[in-house]
Each structure stands twice: as C-alpha cells, then as structure tokens.
C-alpha cells in the first residue's frame, strides 16, 4: 500500500512539474508571414483592402467581379470547340440540311462560304446526326477519308482510309450515350458517343486529280444515313432462339437525302460576340448534363449556363461576360497568329509549324514515332497543352488521330506559315514566293491554300479557289522548273512569266496565311531530309 502511495505521489509530482511546460507550448506565437493577408494589396485589378483578414465591401465586390470574369473567360477558352461544332451545324441548317441528311460539294468548296481552313482540292461530304431517338448508321463510300465528332468536338471514330474499313467503305453504327438496347454482333463498325448531336464529315480525292464528277457520283451511290433497326442485320437468329435478342426487320433503309454544297454560301464559324454564350447555352441544354467533364462544366455553370435552367444574366454579369469574351477571343486570335512555343516549328529557324506532332490530337502526349523497328510511343505527359488546343480549335474544324501521325503513305499532313522569311506577316498587296525542291514527298498529291487572317477561311478573290498544287482541277497544275523544283507565287496580280497554275491571288486589302498539304506523305517529309523554302517577299 505504501509503495502504491509513493508511486502515485511521484506521478502527481511529475505532472505538476510538467504543467509550466504545457502552458508554454500552448501560448500562441506570431502567425507565419506566409499565411498573412496584408491590410492593403496592390494588384492588377487595383488596390485591395483587408482588416485582420476581412475584405472591405469594395474589395469583395472587386474580387467577385474578377472571379466571375475568369469563369466567363474560361467558358470561351475551354469550350469554343463545342460552339464551333454548333455553329457548323447551324451553317448546314441555314442551307436546308436536316438531321441525318448529307451535303456534298460535288464541284469542290470555294471561298464564298466560311469554313475554318477548308480546302479547294477534295470533295467534301458532311452531315449531322441526332442520336436522341437511338443509334444511327452511316455508310461510307470507298476511297473515303473522314471522321466523326461529338457535340464537344471530341473524336469518336475515323471513317474510310484511316478508319477500320481502310478505304473499302463500310457501315458505321454511332451509338448514343447510356444506350441500353441491343447492338449487332457484326456487320458494323461501332462508335460510342457521349452526346446526342454528332457531326461527321470527310473528303474524297478527284479521279486522276482532275475530274470530280465520277467521284461525286460514287459518293451519292454509296453514302447512306439512316436509323439503326435493332435485331436486324448483325443479329444472328441463334441469339433470338436463345432469348438473347429480339428480331427486327431486314429491309432496305430509307433513301438518304442529299444536298448540293458547291456554290452555296453559308457561315459555319463560331461567333465572338454575345451570341457565343447563347450558342454555348444551346449546346448545354441539348446534351446530357454529364456529357462534359465536371471541371470544364464548372465555369460554364458559374456564369449561369446550367442544363434545365433559363440563361438570364443580369446587367452586371452581362458586362463582365462581354469583357471576358472580348479578351478571350483576342487571346485566342493572338495564340493562332503568333505561335509562341519554339517546339511547334517544324524546321530550325523556320516559320513553318505544326504543333500536332508535339501535342498529339488530344493536346496531351506527342504522337508515336514510326521506326523500322515498329511504333515507339512517348510516355504520357499528364497535362494538356493549352496553347495548342486553343490554336487548333480557333482555326481548324475536325480533329482525329489521322491528322497527327508519322505514318508514311497514310492520311495527310500539314504545315502552316503565318509569316515570311523575315518573320513579317503577309501583306496582300505584296508578292511572295515559295520553292518546293525536287521530289515532293507525297504519294497522292500536294497543294497550297491561302486563308483570310480574319475569317480563317479560304481567301475570297476573283480566283475563287485560292490554291495551287499538283492536281489540275479546279485550277491548272503547278509546273516544275528545269531543275525539278516547283515555285509558287502569292500576290494580287499574276507575275510576268509565271504560269497560272503557279500563282495564288491575294487581296491587297487583306492579310493572309498559307497551309501546305501533303496527301499520303512520304518518309522524307517525316525525316526532314526534304525541306521546302521559307515564303520570301519578291516585291
């Protein structure tokens, strides 16, 4: 008992002796400076005032205006691609094209319509689908090159040469989000979509590089778009007998409605005024609430664009959103016209660039290298290249892995130039030239196309088709010089001694940029053993 008492006393004494130490440890010290918000902060939006960490009303109002500005700014930068698809659909609707119908540019596309960096070399075919009633079938013609995109401009599946039919033509079944019905066991190439609105388009090459008529006839003969009949073709009778599937009708699909696009005038460009937000709201209302990543949808919802709710910003928000829209558009245009990442430029000390080689078609990881030992993928970067994404969707329609691959003889490749050899922007009143050395690395054909800086669409001049290249339609083929090289001129008037096929007309009142396309590019392009010249001013 005495021992127990002594132990208790000893413990109590220790506890008493520790009390001062505990008291000292619990006394609050100074707050680390890294955690302190000063009473006054000078910022890019002006002076901000706090009292013991509490913002003044004026400061809180200023900060919330800035926060809403950033949301509105992001809504443009992150989602111009969705508005672009919506604008393209509206452009088709403006010339009478309805869902599940097809428009064919039988005599090529010219500069009268506004399409982001389209070309005047191939026959375009396109249409939009509405999957809200169920899957839709798209049958493609042979020798086709196309892709399918969803309402947020995401790639779903390739068609034709880069797709699973490999240019033989095939049936593609595009399935809506959360579809629970039966799908065929075979007979179709299946693409699963995350949105109900789908845009598909593709191109076919001219026969012998000079005649669009037979190609257009082939397109109209083989292209079909119609609703899928569950239990029909692709469903074996054995599945019905086993109770796994219902039987549907096997009947000829309804005739596809075709529209002629050549000569039509339409605007398919995404706007950069207030109607941008109206279009964005229309996309949000039409598509499933979960069709876009929640992080991307967050800023959209923060500015009042929410599925199932009216879009009715007050005067304060309208002003903030209008300002944000102007700055976001200006920034996007600057990124498009002033590529600022040195890795985008294809050759050393060159104006020719293509960022897809280093960003990939998802603007995340470089595209794989193709070597004699096989495909060598790059490790995932784990981040999105934001500048490349903005640059692309501000100026281009259609994204697919086929645009970003180093595979000789397949697909097409592009090089863009915004400036001349002296890094000056192109002046439509001046004359320039570019030289392609002998052995242009293409298996199909090559071309240059000139675009209007403002619209990013083909430059509209009396020439109608602002292109030059190896095929002889819709303008004469370019002719090579005695040494095998080919020189193309750009200017308001045809230079003396220069053949018509070697000249692209410009507008003295407009700036422009140019894209070189190589269809079925060959190895010297990828190894860079072949290099075209810079665009040089002649006078």
């Amino acid at each position: 008992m005495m021992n127990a008492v002594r132990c208790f006393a000893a413990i109590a004494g220790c506890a008493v002796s520790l009390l001062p130490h505990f008291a000292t440890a619990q006394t609050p010290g100074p707050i680390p400076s890294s955690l302190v918000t000063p009473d006054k902060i000078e910022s890019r939006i002006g002076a901000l005032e706090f009292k013991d960490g509490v913002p003044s009303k004026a400061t809180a109002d200023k900060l919330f205006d800035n926060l809403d500005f950033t949301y509105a700014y992001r809504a443009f930068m992150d989602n111009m691609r969705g508005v672009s698809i919506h604008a393209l659909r509206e452009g088709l609707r403006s010339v009478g094209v309805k869902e599940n119908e097809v428009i064919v540019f039988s005599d090529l596309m010219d500069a009268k319509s506004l399409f982001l960096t389209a070309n005047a070399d191939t026959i375009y075919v396109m249409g939009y689908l509405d999957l809200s009633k169920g899957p839709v079938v798209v049958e493609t013609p042979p020798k086709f090159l196309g892709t399918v995109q969803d309402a947020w401009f995401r790639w779903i599946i390739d068609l034709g040469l880069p797709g699973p039919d490999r240019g033989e033509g095939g049936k593609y079944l595009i399935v809506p989000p959360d579809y629970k019905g039966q799908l065929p066991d075979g007979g179709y190439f299946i693409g699963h979509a995350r949105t109900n609105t789908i845009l598909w388009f593709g191109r076919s090459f001219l026969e012998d590089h000079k005649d669009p008529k037979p190609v257009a006839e082939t397109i109209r003969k083989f292209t079909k778009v119609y609703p899928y009949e569950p239990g029909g073709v692709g469903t074996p009778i054995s599945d019905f007998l086993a109770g796994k599937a219902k039987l549907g009708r096997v009947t000829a699909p309804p005739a596809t409605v075709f529209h002629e696009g050549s000569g039509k005038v339409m605007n398919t460009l995404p706007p950069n005024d207030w109607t941008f937000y109206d279009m964005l709201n229309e996309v949000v209302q039409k598509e499933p609430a979960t069709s876009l990543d929640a992080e991307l949808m967050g800023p959209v919802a923060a500015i009042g664009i929410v599925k199932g709710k009216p879009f009715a910003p007050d005067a304060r928000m309208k002003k903030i959103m209008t300002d944000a829209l102007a700055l976001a558009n200006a920034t996007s245009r600057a990124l498009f016209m002033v590529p600022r990442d040195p890795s985008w430029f294809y050759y050393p000390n060159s104006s020719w660039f293509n960022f897809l080689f280093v960003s990939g078609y998802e603007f995340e990881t470089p595209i794989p290298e193709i070597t004699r030992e096989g495909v060598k993928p790059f490790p995932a970067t784990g981040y999105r290249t934001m500048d490349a994404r903005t640059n692309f969707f501000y100026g281009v329609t259609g994204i697919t892995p086929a645009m970003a691959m180093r595979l000789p003889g397949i697909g097409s490749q592009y090089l863009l130039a915004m400036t001349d050899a002296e890094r000056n922007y192109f002046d439509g009143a001046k004359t320039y030239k570019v030289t392609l050395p002998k052995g242009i690395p293409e298996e199909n054909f090559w071309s240059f196309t000139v675009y209007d800086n403002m619209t990013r669409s083909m430059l509209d001049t009396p020439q109608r088709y602002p292109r030059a290249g190896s095929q002889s339609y819709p303008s004469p083929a370019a002719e090579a010089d005695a040494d095998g090289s080919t020189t193309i001129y750009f200017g308001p008037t045809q230079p003396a001694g220069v053949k018509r096929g070697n000249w692209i007309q410009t507008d003295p009142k407009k700036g422009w940029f140019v894209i070189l396309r190589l269809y079925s590019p060959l190895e010297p392009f990828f190894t860079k053993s072949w290099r075209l010249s810079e665009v040089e001013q002649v006078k």
Side-chain angles (χ1 to χ4, degrees):
M1 182 67 177
M2 289 299 295
N3 289 338
V5 171
R6 291 191 190 100
C7 288
F8 177 80
I11 293 171
C14 288
V16 171
S17 66
L18 288 173
L19 284 175
H21 297 285
F22 281 120
T24 302
Q26 291 175 344
T27 301
I31 299 175
S33 59
S34 61
L35 305 182
V36 173
T37 299
D39 291 344
K40 188 171 184 179
I41 301 171
E42 294 296 337
S43 75
R44 63 186 302 170
I45 61 172
L48 306 175
E49 296 179 345
F50 290 82
K51 183 177 181 181
D52 193 26
V54 177
S56 66
K57 183 181 184 305
T59 290
D61 289 344
K62 190 180 296 184
L63 288 170
F64 290 148
D65 284 353
N66 182 68
L67 182 61
D68 289 336
F69 179 93
T70 65
Y71 290 145
Y73 180 88
R74 281 197 57 191
F76 183 98
M77 300 295 281
D78 289 339
N79 302 299
M80 74 170 86
R81 49 199 179 130
V83 174
S84 184
I85 287 287
H86 186 77
L88 209 162
R89 189 191 73 156
E90 291 303 294
L92 297 181
R93 286 162 58 95
S94 73
V95 295
V97 181
K98 300 176 183 177
E99 63 188 51
N100 299 353
E101 297 181 349
V102 180
I103 187 168
V104 183
F105 292 80
S106 303
D107 197 29
L108 307 185
M109 190 182 293
D110 63 19
K112 294 300 180 184
S113 284
L114 299 177
F115 278 84
L116 293 175
T117 52
N119 69 65
D121 300 307
T122 59
I123 298 176
Y124 278 98
V125 188
M126 63 186 69
Y128 65 92
L129 314 177
D130 182 0
L131 304 183
S132 62
K133 300 174 185 177
V136 175
V137 177
V138 178
E139 294 190 20
T140 59
K143 300 180 181 179
F144 192 63
L145 180 70
T147 189
V148 180
Q149 322 272 235
D150 77 3
W152 294 109
F153 221 140
R154 292 173 299 210
W155 174 76
I156 296 173
I157 192 171
D158 282 329
L159 311 171
L161 290 164
D165 74 80
R166 301 296 295 277
E168 296 297 313
K171 295 181 179 181
Y172 289 81
L173 182 61
I174 312 304
V175 181
D178 302 321
Y179 179 72
K180 304 300 182 185
Q182 70 185 69
L183 293 174
D185 287 350
Y188 299 87
F189 304 114
I190 298 178
H192 291 273
R194 288 179 278 177
T195 64
N196 288 319
T197 302
I198 299 298
L199 184 82
W200 68 274
F201 54 90
R203 298 161 293 163
S204 288
F205 301 136
L206 306 190
E207 192 169 280
D208 299 324
H209 306 308
K210 61 183 179 182
D211 191 355
K213 185 176 180 179
V215 182
E217 290 176 350
T218 297
I219 290 169
R220 291 175 181 268
K221 177 181 178 181
F222 288 98
T223 304
K224 297 181 177 69
V225 181
Y226 52 89
Y228 169 66
E229 181 75 39
V233 174
T235 300
I237 299 296
S238 60
D239 281 3
F240 168 69
L241 296 175
K244 297 179 181 178
K246 296 179 181 180
L247 284 185
R249 297 172 299 173
V250 179
T251 58
T256 298
V257 176
F258 287 92
H259 298 260
E260 179 54 59
S262 294
K264 295 283 180 69
V265 177
M266 66 193 87
N267 175 18
T268 70
L269 305 190
N272 55 289
D273 62 6
W274 182 263
T275 55
F276 175 93
Y277 291 121
D278 290 331
M279 282 194 176
L280 180 58
N281 181 57
E282 289 174 18
V283 177
V284 170
Q285 300 305 328
K286 185 175 180 61
E287 301 305 330
T290 57
S291 66
L292 191 64
D293 180 88
E295 288 289 331
L296 291 176
M297 193 64 85
V300 177
I303 61 174
I305 298 177
V306 179
K307 186 173 178 63
K309 295 184 178 181
F311 173 47
D314 59 19
R316 168 186 166 274
M317 278 301 297
K318 279 188 175 180
K319 182 181 186 309
I320 290 171
M321 292 169 67
T322 300
D323 291 346
L325 182 74
L327 187 60
N329 175 70
T331 303
S332 300
R333 178 170 287 280
L335 285 170
F336 184 70
M337 297 302 302
V338 190
R340 65 175 183 166
D341 188 333
S343 70
W344 294 2
F345 293 93
Y346 200 61
Y347 307 106
N349 302 313
S350 175
S351 289
W352 294 105
F353 74 96
N354 184 336
F355 43 77
L356 292 180
F357 289 108
V358 294
S359 70
Y361 80 98
E362 291 188 313
F363 314 102
E364 183 179 344
T365 300
I367 59 177
E369 286 188 299
I370 309 297
T371 70
R372 298 187 185 280
E373 293 74 36
V375 177
K376 291 187 176 181
F378 288 91
T381 62
Y383 62 84
R384 193 86 62 204
T385 308
M386 306 305 288
D387 285 3
R389 188 185 72 175
T390 298
N391 183 306
F392 184 90
F393 288 115
Y394 196 76
V396 183
T397 294
I399 187 65
T400 160
M403 298 177 71
M405 60 182 180
R406 296 186 175 97
L407 192 59
I410 300 292
S412 53
Q413 286 300 340
Y414 313 86
L415 290 179
L416 296 82
M418 301 291 178
T419 58
D420 65 15
E422 305 301 320
R423 305 298 185 272
N424 296 315
Y425 288 89
F426 298 118
D427 183 340
K430 297 177 180 178
T431 299
Y432 303 82
K433 69 176 183 178
V434 62
T435 299
L436 298 88
K438 181 180 179 180
I440 300 171
E442 47 79 17
E443 196 170 67
N444 201 326
F445 69 97
W446 63 269
S447 75
F448 285 107
T449 307
V450 167
Y451 298 95
D452 185 322
N453 281 347
M454 187 62 69
T455 66
R456 296 91 74 202
S457 303
M458 284 189 282
L459 184 66
D460 190 10
T461 69
Q463 211 172 52
R464 186 182 176 191
Y465 300 101
R467 50 84 60 192
S470 58
Q471 68 180 25
S472 56
Y473 190 91
S475 55
E479 298 182 29
D481 297 327
D483 63 358
S485 66
T486 303
T487 301
I488 302 299
Y489 289 80
F490 311 88
T493 58
Q494 186 172 343
V498 173
K499 299 291 181 65
R500 168 62 185 84
N502 293 65
W503 167 61
I504 303 177
Q505 188 174 27
T506 59
D507 183 337
K509 298 179 181 179
K510 288 182 175 289
W512 55 272
F513 64 94
V514 62
I515 297 180
L516 168 67
R517 288 176 169 86
L518 299 175
Y519 292 91
S520 300
L522 300 177
E523 190 171 4
F525 172 74
F526 298 105
T527 62
K528 303 181 185 178
S529 58
W530 179 90
R531 173 177 175 172
L532 76 165
S533 77
E534 300 299 297
V535 183
E536 302 172 346
Q537 183 179 331
V538 177
K539 63 177 182 178

